[in-house]
Amino acid sequence: KQEVTQIPAALSVPEGENLVLNCSFTDSAIYNLQWFRQDPGKGLTSLLLIQSSQREQTSGRLNASLDKSSGRSTLYIAASQPGDSATYLCAVTPDSNYQLIWGAGTKLIIKP
Amino acid sequence: DTEVTQTPKHLVMGMTNKKSLKCEQHMGHRAMYWYKQKAKKPPELMFVYSYEKLSINESVPSRFSPECPNSSLLNLHLHALQPEDSALYLCASQAHLAGGETQYFGPGTRLLVL
């Protein structure tokens, strides 16, 4: 059974720092992996989607990598800003049924 | 337009009430989802519709009744809910069920059952 883990559960860093969020999964048979952002009490916004054949995706200050063999993905945020404060969730789509399997999320706080 | 809209934003209902949540998208997506999310937890899948037909029902109690009247609209009918059903209800859409594209989420309906 696929399990997705995100460490740390919470992270607080000063504004301007570069940071890395981690996501690990137990079964490498995935279709893709996505990173989402969720602001308190709001819906989820898709940040990056990495297909299983890809190694990384970039969007602005965000870069996500995927290493299927080790079951790991990282989300790199460059030059963090207070507006980046949110909960970041990763989710994998297994090959078997195309339903998202979610991590518990990392709550990120960027201090001005 | 990559927007999924949900109404109402907030809903308070008693355990004997009947209410409905509405979700709409105009992206031409043929897969639509209902999720339930409790505080500080990831979303839990409830229902999936593909081409207006119920494809997946994740053993959700019958007090939740989904409906997909057309390709743009998804409803969730609520009846005789319990206080533990209080949560954020999220709707999402995707181009196709097994296409591997991203899911687009609405802002959610915050439901409180008294």
Side-chain angles (χ1 to χ4, degrees), chain A residues 9-22:
Chain A
L11 181 63
S12 179
V13 301
E15 180 179 4
E17 283 198 3
N18 303 325
L19 59 99
V20 174
L21 306 181
N22 297 295

Side-chain angles (χ1 to χ4, degrees), chain B residues 6-11 21 87-90 107-111:
Chain B
Q6 289 188 245
T7 55
K9 287 184 168 45
H10 303 276
L11 179 62
L21 310 185
L88 181 67
Y89 287 84
L90 294 164
T109 293
R110 173 74 60 188
L111 174 66

Side-chain angles (χ1 to χ4, degrees), chain B:
Chain B
D1 180 11
T2 58
E3 188 179 24
V4 175
T5 59
Q6 289 188 245
T7 55
K9 287 184 168 45
H10 303 276
L11 179 62
V12 180
M13 59 187 292
M15 290 189 283
T16 59
N17 292 157
K18 286 186 182 181
K19 297 285 185 183
S20 296
L21 310 185
K22 178 181 172 181
C23 171
E24 201 161 4
Q25 57 87 16
H26 296 285
M27 295 178 276
H29 289 176
R30 306 314 299 267
M32 296 185 76
Y33 300 74
W34 279 116
Y35 289 90
K36 173 184 178 180
Q37 187 179 27
K38 300 285 256 183
K40 300 185 180 181
K41 297 288 186 182
E44 299 172 39
L45 183 64
M46 299 176 71
F47 303 103
V48 182
Y49 274 82
S50 178
Y51 288 86
E52 297 96 70
K53 294 191 186 314
L54 184 62
S55 178
I56 296 169
N57 176 341
E58 289 289 336
S59 302
V60 178
S62 60
R63 57 186 184 267
F64 295 91
S65 175
E67 178 195 20
C68 190
N70 58 58
S71 60
S72 300
L73 191 55
L74 185 66
N75 297 319
L76 185 63
H77 303 297
L78 315 173
H79 174 55
L81 294 192
Q82 302 296 310
E84 60 264 29
D85 296 322
S86 298
L88 181 67
Y89 287 84
L90 294 164
C91 173
S93 73
Q94 187 178 31
H96 302 95
L97 181 57
E101 305 95 351
T102 194
Q103 290 186 23
Y104 292 88
F105 282 81
T109 293
R110 173 74 60 188
L111 174 66
L112 178 61
V113 181
L114 301 176

Side-chain angles (χ1 to χ4, degrees), chain A residues 31-32 34 38 43-44 46 99, chain B residues 37 45 56 58 100 102 105-106:
Chain A
Y31 197 72
N32 60 39
Q34 298 181 67
Q38 186 171 32
L44 290 94
S46 178
Q99 295 176 43
Chain B
Q37 187 179 27
L45 183 64
I56 296 169
E58 289 289 336
T102 194
F105 282 81

Side-chain angles (χ1 to χ4, degrees), chain A residues 31-53:
Chain A
Y31 197 72
N32 60 39
L33 182 145
Q34 298 181 67
W35 283 93
F36 292 87
R37 168 189 172 136
Q38 186 171 32
D39 293 291
K42 301 292 178 66
L44 290 94
T45 302
S46 178
L47 298 173
L48 291 163
L49 182 152
I50 312 177
Q51 301 293 354
S52 62
S53 58

